[in-house]
Every structure is written in C-alpha cells, then in structure tokens.
Amino acid sequence: MAFMVFEGKTLYTYADSSLPIVADQGSISIDVYPSDHRLVVRSKDQTIKEYTVAVGNPTTPTPIGEYQIVYKGKNWGAAFGPRWLGLNVPWGTYGIHGTNNPYSIGQHLSHGCIRMRNNDVKELFNMIPIGTKVTIYGHVLGDPNQDARNLAEGDVGGGVQLVQSRLKSAGYFTGVCNGKFRSDTTIALRKFQRDHHLIQNGVVSSKVYEELGLIE
C-alpha cells in the first residue's frame, strides 16, 4: 500500500489483485513518468534508453497503473504516426504511438495516449516485444495537488476501477472491476451509501472516498 498527503488528507492506493497489475514477461520493461513527460526503457533494472513524450491532458489523463504491450501495429493513420504499441487498459484504447504534431512532445496534450517523436517510436517498436510490462507512475485518483474528483455513471478510468474494487471487497459490487462506471456500479454504490448514512445519489464524493478508506 502506498499513500500521499494533500489538502490535509491522506490518500491511499492499494495494489489490489483486481487492478491491472501484471507479472514481468521478460528482461525489458517500460516506465512512464507523466509529470516529467519521460519514458524510460529498462533491462534488468538498468536504463538503456530515455525518451521525451507527450501525455494526457488533465481532462483525459494517461491511465496510471501497470499494464502490458498486447499489440504492435504500423501506420494507423497520420495522427498516430508510423507505429502503435497497444496497452491492455480495460476501460479504453490506449497506447504508445507517434504523432503528426511533434510540437506536443514534452507537454500534457494527448487524449490519454503516450505520444513519441516518429523516429523514437520506430526505435522503441523494434526494441519492445509483445508482453512487455509498462508501469505508468502517478496517483490513480488524479493530481496529488487537488482533491480527488467526483465520479458518477458514465465515467471511466483507474479511479472508477479502484472504487469498484473497494465496493467488491465490501460485498456490494459483484461485477467486473473494469473501470467503467455503469448501472451495476451505481446500484452497488447507492447500497453502500444507504448503509453508511450518506446521500444515496450514486456519486463518489469525498465522503464516499473516506468511507471506502481511500482518503482520510
């Protein structure tokens, strides 16, 4: 378990088995640091290459967590550059790819994917096998300098998946922890709110985060 402190509260993240945490598949791994716009390729804990990248903007952030490269493709279209390395993010299509907007590199300007310069992504494509572990660092509930955002039906992401996991552990949610806030999550959340004397509105607020043990 890891934690961060902000706004006078302690915010916890849990390495829950229902979250997309994967085993190492080989000696090569990728670490991504969105706040620094940096992608690092490592082999047996030794850095072998670093790249400057573009990552998601605050409204469509790059998904935090541990994933795998599950697909490699070429020439998906100009916006994606010459190469695509797909990640197994359960709530959407995310990947590492090139770009026709090189000015965006080094900024928070993507819709959640990790953009690279076209020559860089070609090099990475040739270096990285399918099954490579990709760790994207940060806090699953968002910017540590701001309160965790409210979540409601229709939202997707790591925060939703974490809430689903906690509701499942508490016996309220029986569905798949896939990071997609649908009606089954709303029903489970309202039951949890009822039993904890909270407003039964199906919205994950700061009070719900506290009752779930995610902040205090």
Side-chain angles (χ1 to χ4, degrees):
M1 181 178 70
F3 67 90
M4 302 180 74
V5 178
F6 64 93
E7 300 294 333
K9 297 178 179 179
T10 302
L11 182 58
Y12 293 91
T13 54
Y14 293 83
D16 189 283
S17 60
S18 62
L19 298 178
I21 294 175
V22 300
D24 290 308
Q25 299 296 310
S27 62
I28 294 180
S29 62
I30 294 174
D31 292 335
V32 180
Y33 303 91
S35 61
D36 297 331
H37 310 101
R38 186 163 56 100
L39 182 152
V40 180
V41 182
R42 291 192 167 93
S43 178
K44 296 180 179 178
D45 297 325
Q46 297 296 314
T47 298
I48 60 175
K49 196 74 179 184
E50 290 195 23
Y51 301 98
T52 301
V53 297
V55 295
N57 65 59
T59 58
T60 56
T62 296
I64 304 305
E66 295 180 339
Y67 309 100
Q68 281 179 299
I69 299 291
V70 292
Y71 175 80
K72 293 173 67 177
K74 298 181 179 180
N75 301 317
W76 273 33
F80 300 101
R83 300 290 186 272
W84 170 276
L85 296 101
L87 302 172
N88 64 334
V89 179
W91 55 83
T93 302
Y94 295 87
I96 303 168
H97 62 79
T99 182
N100 60 354
N101 292 315
Y103 69 86
S104 68
I105 302 301
Q107 300 187 63
H108 286 77
L109 282 179
S110 83
H111 292 104
C113 287
I114 298 159
R115 296 180 189 172
M116 302 182 70
R117 295 183 177 91
N118 289 337
N119 286 338
D120 288 347
V121 79
K122 286 181 180 179
E123 184 176 67
L124 184 69
F125 185 93
N126 292 331
M127 192 187 315
I128 298 301
I130 287 176
T132 296
K133 181 178 178 179
V134 178
T135 304
I136 303 174
Y137 288 88
H139 200 283
V140 71
L141 294 181
D143 187 341
N145 296 314
Q146 299 178 10
D147 286 331
R149 69 188 181 98
N150 288 357
L151 300 170
E153 192 164 324
D155 286 328
V156 298
V160 174
Q161 191 179 41
L162 185 58
V163 168
Q164 288 172 326
S165 176
R166 298 299 288 165
L167 288 171
K168 194 164 193 173
S169 297
Y172 290 91
F173 183 63
T174 59
V176 177
C177 298
N178 57 10
K180 300 176 182 179
F181 203 134
R182 302 292 185 259
S183 59
D184 56 348
T185 304
T186 300
I187 291 169
L189 176 58
R190 284 178 173 165
K191 290 179 180 177
F192 179 86
Q193 290 173 321
R194 177 199 64 201
D195 290 349
H196 290 79
H197 309 292
L198 302 172
I199 299 173
Q200 298 173 46
N201 58 3
V203 175
V204 181
S205 63
S206 60
K207 291 292 186 182
V208 173
Y209 283 120
E210 289 177 12
E211 290 293 338
L212 287 172
L214 296 174
I215 64 174
E216 64 177 27

